[in-house]
Amino acid sequence: MPTYILLSKLTSEGRKTIKEKPDRIKEVNKEIEAFGAKVLQQYSVLGQYDFVNVVEAPNNEAINRVSIELGSRGTIEIMSMPAMSIDAFISMVKK
């Protein structure tokens, strides 16, 4: 299944939600699975973004749905990027 990197920023409403209910993050991961994707890794980071997620999804349409559905709530802004493993990248370059 294709891999995607999701960079996300909490909105002020999202920060309030996380402050009041930190476990909400794991609940959202279950919702992502309901859209046909799966969170493989998740990190809280400092800087321009608040979270980095490594996600598998069957296709671009599924990951777009995740971004739209979660973003429409007004608690998070997401940048989604397709990713490939280094081995796949090296193989592609050698062709």
Side-chain angles (χ1 to χ4, degrees):
M1 211 173 338
T3 302
Y4 297 86
I5 305 299
L6 305 183
L7 301 176
S8 54
K9 291 191 263 189
L10 294 168
T11 64
S12 59
E13 189 63 34
R15 285 187 288 280
K16 288 178 195 174
T17 299
I18 295 302
K19 176 74 174 161
E20 293 169 5
K21 193 176 178 188
D23 290 331
R24 178 71 183 125
I25 294 167
K26 297 212 176 196
E27 293 171 11
V28 171
N29 291 349
K30 291 178 186 172
E31 293 174 29
I32 289 171
E33 289 186 11
F35 297 130
K38 180 180 180 184
V39 177
L40 301 177
Q41 298 286 325
Q42 187 170 44
Y43 302 94
S44 173
V45 296
L46 300 174
Q48 183 177 359
Y49 295 95
D50 297 308
F51 299 99
V52 174
N53 295 288
V54 180
V55 177
E56 281 185 339
N59 51 44
N60 288 344
E61 291 79 11
I63 209 68
N64 279 339
R65 182 164 183 223
V66 167
S67 293
I68 294 297
E69 293 286 341
L70 297 182
S72 70
R73 300 173 184 179
T75 56
I76 199 162
E77 297 174 4
I78 301 172
M79 180 190 322
S80 305
M81 301 178 293
M84 71 169 37
S85 71
I86 291 301
D87 290 337
F89 176 79
I90 291 170
S91 177
M92 180 267 310
V93 170
K94 287 182 175 181
K95 290 182 180 177

